[in-house]
Amino acid sequence: MNRLSTVILFFWTACVNILGQAVLLPVSQKALYDTCSVHHIDFRNYPQTLQDMPIGVFDSGTGGFTVLEKILSQDRFNNQTGEEMPDGIPDFIHEDFEYLADQANMPYGRYDAEGKSDYLRELAVKDALFLLSNHYWKDAQEIAPTGKKRPVKIIVIACNTATAYGLEHIQNLLNESGCGVKVIGVVNAGAASTLASLKDKKETSIGVLATPGTISSNVYERTLRAMAPADMQLEIVNQPGYGFAEAVDEEKAFVNHSLEDFSEDYRGPVFGNGDNDINAHLLSAYGFDLDNGAAFIEYNAHGEAVKIQLNTADNYARYNLLGLFEQARKQGIRHPISRIILGCTHYPFTLETLKKHLDELKHYKDADGNYPYASLIADDCEFIDPAVNTAYECYKTLVADNNLRNDTVTGILEPYISVASSWLPADCLDNDGNLTYAFKYGREVGKEDLTTVCVPFSEKNVSSENLTRIARLLPLCSRKICTFLHSNTSFSQ
């Protein structure tokens, strides 16, 4: 950092401390003021007209495509008049998108548990900085990025954990930059849509199913209570989705389809009595799928289950949903749960299983002939996907800022994914070339070294299982991804 930049940083930080205003994270300070930093962006030359710039979306992995699917499919407005009335034409049909899956650094939900919440905040800001930049890495071997892309006109944080830890810091960065870009997070949108669906209820319980990091931040409970009517008797049940997001993104320590038996590398839930354990006495209530390697169970000579390993995202969905109602039972909630917020963008991938398991639990009868969960589940209980209201807020924000694209061409998607940098020492990487757990959660904030880089999607860095799941559940995203994969010649310029 040169002397002038150092002086500017010193006086700026001193002033905001004196005034009691939010201080920028070190990575944000470097992005704004340190022209020698790898994070620096020259915001003085940021596009003054944002209309034709793409919409930026980021998540810790591919789960954020569930948010993008809702954006792409939204038809709540008349495209000609702007009235809030469907016209049979998607509202965002002419918009271009950039999507970043920060796969190399996920799961975000583990950083707080490992005492690395500061690093998680920095990661969220770095994700935003990539979308705000005009370059990308063509591959992990590049020393510096040579690919050219457009900066974005709005940022959608399609990740609940990143919203909880990073939204405020990204807002501070954008406000200081003066570039005119706004940021939207899924948490406020999810809380608002949940409460709107309960406007006629004066007493109820809401379940929040989210990553451990999101739950530990308490962001949903704080936001729900702040937004709820004063006369609403509201109970909230929080369940950290242990291993859930990792299973959806097929992290091999949680889901490995090549396995035929137990693995020593498994990091998912096991039998035990802890908060993150599977209760062996509730095996019939979980209703795990045991076919085709979906889970492995070992029994002793007495026929008792003594060892278990889950191996599909659907089984993780069952494990965590039952955990939510077990938590509700322990809390002794007075009102049955009527809404369950899917507080992680990965979870809607298993919505079919979640709905099925909810119905199973409603009618589950234990060995004593009791129905332990029936009174905990309201007759009108439903899942809330925050992505729906996020799409709505994104559109309203673009309209208010006069930043909707005025074009007749169907928009495109440019998807990027983070991968481990090729220059990292071998002991920082596992056998698949990904960051080891110890290295990933041992990094410190404020460093200039790039341990991961953002490259375009390819069939080499996105698994076929992932693409197949996206194709089955998210057809609009899938078509745009396929178009990119088969015709991305513009990215070689």
Side-chain angles (χ1 to χ4, degrees), residues 50-51 53-58 67-74 76-77 84 91-93 95-98 131 152-158 180-190 192 386-405:
L50 299 177
Q51 269 189 352
M53 297 297 105
I55 294 170
V57 181
F58 79 81
V67 176
L68 183 54
E69 186 78 7
K70 296 299 183 185
I71 295 175
L72 293 173
S73 64
Q74 177 177 281
R76 295 178 63 167
F77 296 87
E84 192 163 343
D91 297 333
F92 294 89
I93 189 170
E95 297 292 342
D96 291 337
F97 293 88
E98 285 181 8
L131 294 174
V152 300
K153 64 181 175 183
I154 191 171
I155 295 174
V156 177
I157 308 178
V181 174
K182 301 286 181 62
V183 59
I184 295 171
V186 289
V187 172
N188 281 28
V388 176
N389 211 42
T390 302
Y392 179 76
E393 287 193 17
C394 181
Y395 186 88
K396 294 290 287 185
T397 301
L398 290 174
V399 169
D401 293 343
N402 196 30
N403 279 336
L404 274 181
R405 189 179 182 191

Side-chain angles (χ1 to χ4, degrees), residues 25 67 129 225 318 344 373 412 464:
L25 294 182
V67 176
L129 287 172
R225 294 199 183 283
R318 288 177 168 274
C344 174
Y373 308 111
I412 63 170
S464 58

Side-chain angles (χ1 to χ4, degrees), residues 159-161 186 208-211 214 220 341-345 347 384 386:
C159 173
N160 290 266
T161 306
V186 289
V208 180
L209 188 57
T211 67
T214 299
Y220 264 107
I341 299 175
L342 298 180
C344 174
T345 53
Y347 299 171
I384 297 292

Side-chain angles (χ1 to χ4, degrees), residues 279-306:
N279 189 332
H281 300 294
L282 296 176
L283 268 182
S284 60
Y286 288 113
F288 291 132
D289 177 13
L290 304 179
D291 295 334
N292 302 315
F296 306 110
I297 299 181
E298 181 180 301
Y299 296 88
N300 63 16
H302 303 289
E304 300 167 329
V306 294

Side-chain angles (χ1 to χ4, degrees), residues 57-69 99 158-159 345-346 349:
V57 181
F58 79 81
D59 182 38
S60 61
T62 57
F65 280 120
T66 60
V67 176
L68 183 54
E69 186 78 7
Y99 182 93
C159 173
T345 53
H346 292 64
F349 276 116

Side-chain angles (χ1 to χ4, degrees), residues 419-433:
V419 296
S421 298
S422 62
W423 59 265
L424 285 173
D427 60 356
C428 298
L429 304 174
D430 61 21
N431 293 334
D432 296 314

Side-chain angles (χ1 to χ4, degrees), residues 22-286:
V23 178
L24 291 174
L25 294 182
V27 67
S28 300
Q29 295 174 355
K30 290 180 178 181
L32 289 163
Y33 306 120
D34 184 0
T35 57
C36 298
S37 172
V38 296
H39 307 299
H40 179 68
I41 294 178
D42 185 5
F43 284 105
R44 296 171 301 177
N45 292 320
Y46 207 83
Q48 294 185 348
T49 302
L50 299 177
Q51 269 189 352
D52 292 334
M53 297 297 105
I55 294 170
V57 181
F58 79 81
D59 182 38
S60 61
T62 57
F65 280 120
T66 60
V67 176
L68 183 54
E69 186 78 7
K70 296 299 183 185
I71 295 175
L72 293 173
S73 64
Q74 177 177 281
D75 178 21
R76 295 178 63 167
F77 296 87
N78 185 295
N79 288 39
Q80 296 297 321
T81 66
E83 294 178 276
E84 192 163 343
M85 182 180 298
D87 61 356
I89 303 172
D91 297 333
F92 294 89
I93 189 170
H94 302 306
E95 297 292 342
D96 291 337
F97 293 88
E98 285 181 8
Y99 182 93
L100 171 61
D102 192 16
Q103 186 91 358
N105 293 304
M106 76 92 66
Y108 279 8
R110 292 295 304 164
Y111 284 93
D112 182 74
E114 295 291 344
K116 292 292 182 177
S117 54
D118 283 346
Y119 197 82
L120 174 56
R121 295 183 181 94
E122 181 175 283
L123 279 177
V125 172
K126 286 180 178 178
D127 291 339
L129 287 172
F130 173 76
L131 294 174
L132 293 164
S133 74
N134 59 6
H135 57 256
Y136 65 91
W137 281 258
K138 292 182 178 179
D139 56 55
Q141 282 69 44
E142 284 197 324
I143 297 175
T146 61
K148 300 298 181 183
K149 73 174 192 66
R150 293 173 294 168
V152 300
K153 64 181 175 183
I154 191 171
I155 295 174
V156 177
I157 308 178
C159 173
N160 290 266
T161 306
T163 300
Y165 288 86
L167 176 62
E168 174 188 354
H169 301 289
I170 294 171
Q171 285 177 329
N172 291 343
L173 167 68
L174 293 173
N175 290 341
E176 187 66 18
S177 74
C179 66
V181 174
K182 301 286 181 62
V183 59
I184 295 171
V186 289
V187 172
N188 281 28
S193 58
T194 301
L195 293 170
S197 73
L198 296 169
K199 60 182 178 181
D200 296 326
K201 288 182 180 285
K202 293 299 181 183
E203 49 188 36
T204 190
S205 294
I206 296 173
V208 180
L209 188 57
T211 67
T214 299
I215 294 299
S216 65
S217 75
N218 206 34
V219 65
Y220 264 107
E221 180 150 2
R222 285 187 282 107
T223 306
L224 285 165
R225 294 199 183 283
M227 289 184 172
D231 60 347
M232 175 181 276
Q233 295 183 35
L234 179 61
E235 294 179 281
I236 298 173
V237 182
N238 293 298
Q239 170 64 23
Y242 180 65
F244 200 168
E246 296 92 323
V248 171
D249 260 332
E250 303 196 347
E251 290 281 304
K252 288 192 174 180
F254 295 85
V255 167
N256 187 343
H257 296 297
S258 66
L259 294 177
E260 296 181 359
D261 206 341
F262 293 93
S263 167
E264 294 181 357
D265 298 326
Y266 177 64
R267 298 184 66 89
V270 296
F271 285 139
N273 299 314
D275 291 338
N276 294 330
D277 293 328
I278 296 173
N279 189 332
H281 300 294
L282 296 176
L283 268 182
S284 60
Y286 288 113

